Amino acid sequence: MSSHERLEVECPSCRAKQDILIWKSINVTRDPEMKEQLFTGKVNYFTCSTCGFEGFISAPLVYDDMDKKICVNYVPVEYLEDDGYLQDSFTSDGLVRLVLHKDTAPIADTGYFRHAHIVFSMAELIRYVLFRDRLTQVFDAAQEQ
Ligand SMILES: [Zn+2]
């Protein structure tokens, strides 16, 4: 499932506070429209209603394509300073630590999730997804011949 939360953020330019919807994960298999939103730069993008400042929010984002088994994690560079975040989110060898809550059904195939591709900018996240989609296209076409 895709998940989001509504948070009050402060504009980095004019300090005005406003509520914004922050996506923590997007599951493009269950919510295909979220992929469109991502590609058009509408996910975790902030536009200040006071001064017009705009830019991506520094919030980690998980991209999950269950069909193609593609998982990409965006880690804002600021989060590399956060020991707690790193320990909770990753293993020492850079795999994703799976945090399963009691009420979550066990995930059958988590291999691709654990080996998520890690990126450090939203632009790179989008580029990587485009790259994987192209690979799928090219190899599917080759198979049909
Ligand atoms: Zn502002």
Side-chain angles (χ1 to χ4, degrees):
M1 280 292 285
S2 301
S3 72
H4 57 77
E5 60 185 352
R6 194 162 276 285
L7 278 185
E8 189 184 62
V9 297
E10 191 177 77
C11 171
S13 178
C14 75
R15 307 264 166 234
K17 291 191 164 101
Q18 49 217 289
D19 273 354
I20 169 167
L21 193 65
I22 296 183
W23 290 89
K24 297 200 275 193
S25 66
I26 53 178
N27 182 323
V28 299
T29 309
R30 293 203 178 123
D31 306 306
E33 75 283 0
M34 285 310 298
K35 189 167 178 175
E36 182 71 28
Q37 296 266 311
L38 177 74
F39 280 7
T40 51
K42 293 195 181 97
V43 173
N44 293 353
Y45 197 79
F46 168 84
T47 305
C48 179
S49 54
T50 306
C51 75
F53 174 89
E54 50 189 334
F56 282 108
I57 303 275
S58 287
L61 180 70
V62 175
Y63 175 95
D64 185 8
D65 184 330
M66 291 155 63
D67 277 349
K68 295 184 191 157
K69 299 200 188 317
I70 297 169
C71 187
V72 193
N73 283 20
Y74 163 53
V75 178
V77 278
E78 299 91 310
Y79 278 69
L80 299 181
E81 304 299 320
D82 186 338
D83 294 15
Y85 166 77
L86 291 176
Q87 280 173 347
D88 288 349
S89 309
F90 302 100
T91 64
S92 62
D93 50 0
L95 298 181
V96 173
R97 198 180 283 283
L98 290 172
V99 188
L100 293 180
H101 300 287
K102 287 197 300 288
D103 54 348
T104 310
I107 304 169
D109 182 4
T110 54
Y112 78 100
F113 202 87
R114 270 181 78 73
H115 294 87
H117 183 70
I118 316 289
V119 295
F120 301 94
S121 81
M122 286 291 283
E124 185 64 17
L125 188 153
I126 293 167
R127 257 180 234 132
Y128 184 78
V129 171
L130 286 169
F131 163 65
R132 292 297 301 264
D133 283 355
R134 273 292 292 146
L135 286 182
T136 305
Q137 239 178 25
V138 167
F139 281 91
D140 281 358
Q143 246 171 19
E144 278 163 22
Q145 279 165 13

